[in-house]
Amino acid sequence: MNAGVSSLSVDEIKRVSLAALRAAGVSAEYADIQVQLLLDAELRGVHSHGLLRLPRVIERIRSGACNPHVRGNGVWTGTAFLAMDGEHGFGPVVACHALEMLYARVESTGVAVAAVRNSEHLGMLAWYAQQVAEKGLILIALTVSEALVHPWGGSQAMLGTNPVAIGVPAAPRPFVLDMATSLVSMGKIHDYANRGKPIPEGWAVDGSGRPTIDADAAKDGAIAPFGGAKGYGLGLGFELLVTALAGSAIGTDVVGTLDSTQPCNKGDVFIVIRPAGQAADLIQDYLHALRVSRPVDPASPVRVPGDRGRQARTDHEQGNIDVDSRVWTQIEQMARA
């Protein structure tokens, strides 16, 4: 075991994390949804969206920035368009409520859209994509963050990391893509900083706009868009789309995804679509053909997006998960509060 890392069972993580949220006054139902999301990220090896986030979730409850007792209020403003006011509730609780409303509507409309505002951090989008695809439906999910990414050719944080997730039903397991339009997430920068590790070159600039490998300096700077101008263009397009649909804040006005005191004002969009009849079998055949296609390196077979995280989850479910000791100590203290 590495210094500064605690090796913990899934049951122990779940028990203490639930206790921490319950101690903060969260209901058993809503605490379970929040922990499911964070634990799934840990199991998939996405530590930036896992337990690292839990202390801040609880701090936001204590400061009054988050209301953990609500699930949002949705109003159908069109036959297939749901406007959801999250009322500053937990991101995953509000999102699950919105998705439940979409499931009922998409049976008759074929497509249903929810635009969410005033909701807390959503966490890892793959968690939602997996759930929707397992129901035999397609999901396209978009969200924005605080301005953390510099535009192509710039050095100042001006737009969010703006991830997108796509879930498509397939047999025996769905296709799940989850990616940010930044080179990395700010959560990953924070994870590197907590572990005292330097970040790779090219990930970020510091507060003065200079390239840096210091994770702490990068937290005060800006992350690079992935793929240069193309990633910048996609990230900007997603930010404009979410803002236009949700009526939420944009760019440098977005707050509440990384701090502990300001009400979160970013937007989220969920698009649920009913697929064609036998598409799942055709898609699975194609995904199999990709996996068995000729690799550049015979020792590294071709993967489909989501394969690595799915395998990591399977591996971790059979053993322990390494959690940053400082983060775990915080969670244990909150559970005893």
Coordinates of all heavy atoms in Angstrom, one line a residue, residues 4-9 11-24 51-52 54-56 58 62 323-337:
G4 N 0.0 7.3 2.4 CA -1.1 8.2 2.2 C -2.3 7.6 1.6 O -3.2 8.4 1.2
V5 N -2.4 6.3 1.5 CA -3.5 5.6 0.8 C -4.1 4.6 1.8 O -3.3 3.8 2.4 CB -3.1 5.0 -0.5 CG1 -4.2 4.1 -1.1 CG2 -2.6 6.0 -1.5
S6 N -5.4 4.6 1.9 CA -6.1 3.6 2.7 C -6.7 2.5 1.8 O -7.5 2.9 0.9 CB -7.1 4.2 3.6 OG -6.5 5.2 4.5
S7 N -6.5 1.3 2.1 CA -7.1 0.2 1.3 C -8.4 -0.3 2.0 O -8.3 -0.8 3.1 CB -6.1 -1.0 1.1 OG -6.7 -2.0 0.3
L8 N -9.5 0.0 1.4 CA -10.8 -0.2 2.0 C -11.7 -1.1 1.2 O -11.7 -1.1 0.0 CB -11.5 1.1 2.3 CG -10.7 2.2 3.0 CD1 -11.3 3.6 2.8 CD2 -10.6 1.8 4.5
S9 N -12.6 -1.9 1.9 CA -13.6 -2.7 1.2 C -14.7 -1.8 0.8 O -15.0 -0.7 1.3 CB -14.1 -3.8 2.2 OG -14.9 -3.2 3.2
D11 N -17.8 -2.4 1.2 CA -18.8 -2.3 2.3 C -18.4 -1.3 3.3 O -19.3 -0.5 3.8 CB -19.0 -3.7 3.0 CG -19.7 -4.7 2.1 OD1 -20.4 -4.3 1.2 OD2 -19.6 -5.9 2.4
E12 N -17.1 -1.2 3.6 CA -16.7 -0.2 4.6 C -16.9 1.2 4.1 O -17.3 2.1 4.8 CB -15.2 -0.4 5.0 CG -14.6 0.6 5.9 CD -15.1 0.5 7.3 OE1 -16.0 -0.3 7.6 OE2 -14.6 1.3 8.1
I13 N -16.5 1.4 2.8 CA -16.7 2.7 2.2 C -18.2 3.1 2.2 O -18.5 4.3 2.5 CB -16.2 2.7 0.7 CG1 -14.6 2.6 0.7 CG2 -16.6 4.0 0.0 CD1 -14.0 2.4 -0.6
K14 N -19.0 2.2 1.8 CA -20.5 2.5 1.8 C -21.0 2.8 3.2 O -21.7 3.8 3.4 CB -21.2 1.3 1.2 CG -22.7 1.6 1.0 CD -23.4 0.3 0.4 CE -22.8 0.0 -1.0 NZ -23.6 -1.2 -1.6
R15 N -20.6 2.0 4.2 CA -21.1 2.2 5.5 C -20.7 3.6 6.1 O -21.6 4.3 6.6 CB -20.6 1.1 6.4 CG -21.1 1.2 7.9 CD -20.4 0.2 8.8 NE -19.0 0.4 8.9 CZ -18.5 1.3 9.8 NH1 -19.3 2.1 10.5 NH2 -17.2 1.5 9.9
V16 N -19.5 3.9 6.0 CA -19.0 5.2 6.6 C -19.5 6.4 5.8 O -19.9 7.4 6.3 CB -17.5 5.2 6.7 CG1 -17.0 6.6 7.2 CG2 -17.0 4.1 7.6
S17 N -19.5 6.3 4.4 CA -20.0 7.4 3.6 C -21.5 7.7 3.9 O -21.9 8.9 4.0 CB -19.8 7.1 2.1 OG -18.5 6.9 1.8
L18 N -22.3 6.6 4.0 CA -23.7 6.8 4.3 C -23.9 7.4 5.7 O -24.7 8.3 5.9 CB -24.5 5.5 4.3 CG -24.7 4.9 2.9 CD1 -25.3 3.5 3.0 CD2 -25.7 5.8 2.1
A19 N -23.0 7.0 6.7 CA -23.1 7.6 8.0 C -22.7 9.1 8.0 O -23.4 9.8 8.8 CB -22.1 6.8 8.9
A20 N -21.8 9.5 7.2 CA -21.4 10.9 7.1 C -22.5 11.7 6.6 O -22.8 12.8 7.1 CB -20.2 11.0 6.2
L21 N -23.2 11.2 5.6 CA -24.4 12.0 5.0 C -25.6 12.0 6.0 O -26.2 13.0 6.2 CB -24.8 11.4 3.7 CG -23.9 11.7 2.5 CD1 -24.2 10.8 1.3 CD2 -23.9 13.2 2.1
R22 N -25.8 10.9 6.6 CA -26.9 10.8 7.6 C -26.6 11.7 8.8 O -27.5 12.4 9.3 CB -27.1 9.4 8.1 CG -27.5 8.4 7.0 CD -28.9 8.5 6.6 NE -29.8 7.9 7.5 CZ -31.0 8.5 7.9 NH1 -31.3 9.7 7.4 NH2 -31.8 7.9 8.8
A23 N -25.3 11.9 9.2 CA -25.0 12.8 10.3 C -25.2 14.2 9.9 O -25.4 15.1 10.7 CB -23.5 12.6 10.7
A24 N -25.2 14.5 8.6 CA -25.4 15.8 8.0 C -26.9 16.1 7.8 O -27.3 17.1 7.3 CB -24.7 16.0 6.7
L51 N -15.0 9.7 -3.9 CA -15.0 10.1 -2.5 C -14.4 11.4 -2.3 O -14.7 12.1 -1.3 CB -14.4 9.0 -1.6 CG -15.1 7.7 -1.6 CD1 -14.3 6.7 -0.8 CD2 -16.5 7.8 -1.0
L52 N -13.5 11.9 -3.1 CA -12.9 13.2 -3.0 C -14.0 14.3 -2.9 O -13.8 15.3 -2.3 CB -12.1 13.4 -4.3 CG -11.5 14.8 -4.5 CD1 -10.4 15.1 -3.5 CD2 -10.9 14.9 -5.9
L54 N -17.1 13.9 -1.5 CA -18.0 13.8 -0.4 C -17.8 14.9 0.7 O -18.8 15.5 1.1 CB -18.0 12.4 0.2 CG -19.0 12.1 1.3 CD1 -20.4 12.4 0.8 CD2 -18.9 10.7 1.7
P55 N -16.6 15.2 1.1 CA -16.5 16.2 2.1 C -17.1 17.6 1.7 O -17.7 18.3 2.5 CB -15.0 16.3 2.4 CG -14.5 14.9 2.1 CD -15.3 14.5 0.9
R56 N -16.9 17.9 0.4 CA -17.4 19.2 -0.1 C -18.9 19.1 -0.1 O -19.6 20.1 0.1 CB -16.8 19.5 -1.4 CG -17.4 20.9 -1.9 CD -16.6 21.4 -3.2 NE -15.3 21.8 -2.8 CZ -14.2 21.3 -3.3 NH1 -14.2 20.4 -4.2 NH2 -13.0 21.8 -2.9
I58 N -20.9 17.6 1.9 CA -21.3 17.9 3.3 C -21.1 19.3 3.7 O -21.9 19.9 4.4 CB -20.7 16.8 4.2 CG1 -21.2 15.4 3.9 CG2 -21.0 17.1 5.7 CD1 -20.5 14.3 4.6
R62 N -23.8 22.1 5.1 CA -23.6 22.9 6.4 C -23.7 24.4 6.1 O -24.2 25.1 7.0 CB -22.3 22.5 7.0 CG -22.3 21.0 7.6 CD -20.9 20.7 8.1 NE -20.9 19.4 8.7 CZ -19.8 18.8 9.1 NH1 -18.6 19.3 8.9 NH2 -19.8 17.6 9.7
V323 N -8.0 4.5 -1.3 CA -8.6 5.9 -1.1 C -7.6 6.7 -0.5 O -6.9 6.3 0.5 CB -9.9 5.8 -0.3 CG1 -10.5 7.2 -0.1 CG2 -10.9 4.9 -0.9
D324 N -7.5 8.0 -0.9 CA -6.6 8.9 -0.3 C -6.9 9.0 1.2 O -8.0 9.3 1.6 CB -6.7 10.3 -0.9 CG -5.8 11.4 -0.4 OD1 -6.1 11.9 0.7 OD2 -4.7 11.6 -1.0
S325 N -5.8 8.8 2.1 CA -6.0 8.7 3.5 C -6.6 10.0 4.1 O -7.4 10.0 5.0 CB -4.7 8.4 4.2 OG -4.3 7.1 3.8
R326 N -6.1 11.2 3.6 CA -6.6 12.4 4.1 C -8.1 12.6 3.8 O -8.9 13.1 4.7 CB -5.8 13.6 3.5 CG -4.4 13.7 4.1 CD -3.6 14.7 3.3 NE -3.3 14.2 1.9 CZ -2.6 14.9 1.0 NH1 -2.1 16.0 1.3 NH2 -2.4 14.4 -0.2
V327 N -8.5 12.2 2.6 CA -10.0 12.3 2.3 C -10.8 11.4 3.2 O -11.8 11.7 3.7 CB -10.2 12.0 0.8 CG1 -11.7 11.8 0.5 CG2 -9.6 13.0 -0.1
W328 N -10.2 10.2 3.4 CA -11.0 9.2 4.2 C -11.1 9.6 5.6 O -12.1 9.4 6.3 CB -10.3 7.8 4.1 CG -11.1 6.7 4.8 CD1 -10.7 6.0 5.9 CD2 -12.4 6.3 4.4 NE1 -11.8 5.1 6.2 CE2 -12.8 5.3 5.3 CE3 -13.3 6.7 3.4 CZ2 -14.0 4.7 5.3 CZ3 -14.6 6.1 3.4 CH2 -14.9 5.1 4.3
T329 N -10.0 10.2 6.2 CA -10.0 10.7 7.5 C -11.1 11.8 7.7 O -11.9 11.8 8.7 CB -8.7 11.3 7.9 OG1 -7.7 10.3 7.9 CG2 -8.7 11.9 9.3
Q330 N -11.2 12.7 6.7 CA -12.3 13.7 6.7 C -13.7 13.1 6.8 O -14.6 13.5 7.5 CB -12.2 14.6 5.5 CG -11.2 15.7 5.5 CD -11.4 16.6 4.2 OE1 -10.9 16.2 3.2 NE2 -12.0 17.7 4.4
I331 N -13.9 12.0 5.9 CA -15.2 11.4 5.9 C -15.5 10.7 7.2 O -16.6 10.8 7.7 CB -15.2 10.4 4.7 CG1 -15.1 11.1 3.4 CG2 -16.5 9.6 4.7 CD1 -14.9 10.3 2.2
E332 N -14.5 10.0 7.8 CA -14.7 9.4 9.1 C -15.1 10.4 10.2 O -16.0 10.1 11.0 CB -13.5 8.6 9.5 CG -13.2 7.3 8.7 CD -12.0 6.5 9.2 OE1 -10.9 7.2 9.3 OE2 -12.2 5.3 9.4
Q333 N -14.4 11.5 10.1 CA -14.7 12.5 11.1 C -16.1 13.1 11.0 O -16.8 13.3 11.9 CB -13.7 13.7 11.0 CG -12.3 13.3 11.5 CD -11.3 14.4 11.2 OE1 -11.5 15.3 10.4 NE2 -10.1 14.3 11.8
M334 N -16.5 13.2 9.7 CA -17.9 13.7 9.4 C -18.9 12.7 9.8 O -20.0 13.0 10.3 CB -18.0 14.1 7.9 CG -17.3 15.3 7.6 SD -17.3 15.7 5.8 CE -16.7 17.4 5.8
A335 N -18.6 11.4 9.7 CA -19.5 10.3 10.1 C -19.7 10.3 11.6 O -20.8 9.9 12.1 CB -19.0 9.0 9.6
R336 N -18.7 10.7 12.4 CA -18.8 10.8 13.8 C -19.4 12.1 14.4 O -19.6 12.2 15.6 CB -17.4 10.6 14.4 CG -16.8 9.2 14.2 CD -15.6 8.9 15.1 NE -14.5 9.9 14.7 CZ -13.5 9.5 13.9 NH1 -13.5 8.3 13.3 NH2 -12.5 10.4 13.7
A337 N -19.6 13.0 13.5 CA -20.0 14.4 13.9 C -21.4 14.3 14.6 O -22.3 13.5 14.1 CB -20.1 15.3 12.7

